[in-house]
Amino acid sequence: MANHSQFGFQDASSPIMEELVEFHDHALMVALAICSLVLYMLALMLMEKLSSNTVDAQEIELIWTILPAIVLILLALPSLQILYMMDEIDEPDLTLKAIGHQWYWSYEYTDFKDLSFDSYMIPTTELPLGHFRLLEVDHRVVVPMESPTRIIVTAGDVLHSWAVPTLGVKTDAIPGRLNQTSFITTRPGIFYGQCSEICGANHSYMPIVVESTPLTHFESWSSLLAS
């Protein structure tokens, strides 16, 4: 959960999000090195007198032609690796289907016979003390911790987007089309997200809450809900 005046990302709760945070830090360090070098060169040019070395220098031209290519490679390789990791779905332990509606989410646990429910935002007037306004729902998505989970996302009316920042997941929900992604929660907890596609007047009133629990608790929850 994000805090007030927070500048960085939320604490990562999945391997993919950990990789994204590391790549963000890597890209910032590259940008910092570039800015430092440019500022140094500007200061050098302002303080020193112009000479033939600054007017005509093939070595410098060669360096500033090759150096940007090296920088792009340093950014492209880890970026492509993360993209392939995000698209890889290998033998999930649980499959979950999320259907976006105006303005709530429907969930189906396809590995169970009769396990589905709708998830609505809790109105502010009915919100229990200590809960988060505009983020709490009446039915949370419960998933087992440290288990690969595949989520299939679609919509029943207009475009939506199923996004949970701390899990590094954001998948568009398109009517008539099935998109899929996967995640693994590395710790127990409650993770909040929201629809990230403008879908109408109440776009900001369809939050997402994912609860990660140990496998034994998930089995008890699923048995109770299915009965």
Side-chain angles (χ1 to χ4, degrees):
M1 183 67 191
N3 301 318
H4 292 290
S5 303
Q6 179 175 334
F7 289 100
F9 291 102
Q10 301 179 31
D11 293 337
S13 301
S14 70
I16 290 295
M17 190 58 191
E18 292 175 359
E19 293 289 338
L20 290 173
V21 173
E22 290 182 2
F23 175 71
H24 171 266
D25 297 340
H26 168 71
L28 279 185
M29 292 305 297
V30 173
L32 179 62
I34 294 174
C35 292
S36 301
L37 179 61
V38 171
L39 288 175
Y40 171 74
M41 295 298 294
L42 286 175
L44 198 63
M45 294 289 291
L46 291 174
M47 291 186 296
E48 292 190 358
K49 295 181 179 181
L50 291 177
S51 64
S52 59
N53 293 330
T54 58
V55 175
D56 184 16
Q58 294 184 357
E59 293 81 4
I60 296 178
E61 293 180 0
L62 183 63
I63 291 174
W64 71 42
T65 302
I66 297 177
L67 193 59
I70 296 175
V71 171
L72 290 177
I73 292 174
L74 291 176
L75 292 175
L77 292 181
S79 176
L80 291 174
Q81 180 184 9
I82 295 175
L83 282 175
Y84 278 106
M85 290 173 60
M86 294 177 68
D87 287 338
E88 185 176 356
I89 301 175
D90 186 20
E91 296 182 359
D93 294 339
L94 178 69
T95 299
L96 176 67
K97 185 177 181 181
I99 307 172
H101 303 278
Q102 292 181 310
W103 287 273
Y104 64 96
W105 292 95
S106 298
Y107 296 100
E108 300 175 4
Y109 288 77
T110 58
D111 298 305
F112 297 84
K113 185 176 181 180
D114 293 311
L115 185 53
S116 60
F117 53 84
D118 296 330
S119 180
Y120 290 86
M121 185 195 74
I122 300 178
T124 304
T125 55
E126 303 175 8
L127 196 65
L129 184 64
H131 287 222
F132 297 107
R133 176 178 172 269
L134 301 182
L135 288 176
E136 294 289 352
V137 295
D138 54 357
H139 292 93
R140 295 172 175 171
V141 178
V142 180
V143 296
M145 181 181 64
E146 297 180 343
S147 296
T149 302
R150 174 177 59 185
I151 178 164
I152 301 173
V153 183
T154 187
D157 37 44
V158 298
L159 292 176
H160 300 278
S161 184
W162 200 88
V164 182
T166 188
L167 297 178
V169 175
K170 183 181 183 297
T171 304
D172 288 340
I174 304 173
R177 176 172 177 172
L178 297 177
N179 291 331
Q180 67 175 357
T181 187
S182 64
F183 60 87
I184 302 175
T185 57
T186 56
R187 59 186 174 92
I190 300 173
F191 314 122
Y192 295 91
Q194 290 177 303
C195 176
S196 297
E197 190 75 47
I198 297 178
C199 56
N202 292 332
H203 157 67
S204 58
Y205 299 103
M206 49 183 306
I208 302 162
V209 183
V210 177
E211 183 175 352
S212 174
T213 64
L215 181 59
T216 54
H217 294 181
F218 173 78
E219 292 175 346
S220 301
W221 171 84
S222 60
S223 301
L224 180 64
L225 198 63
S227 60

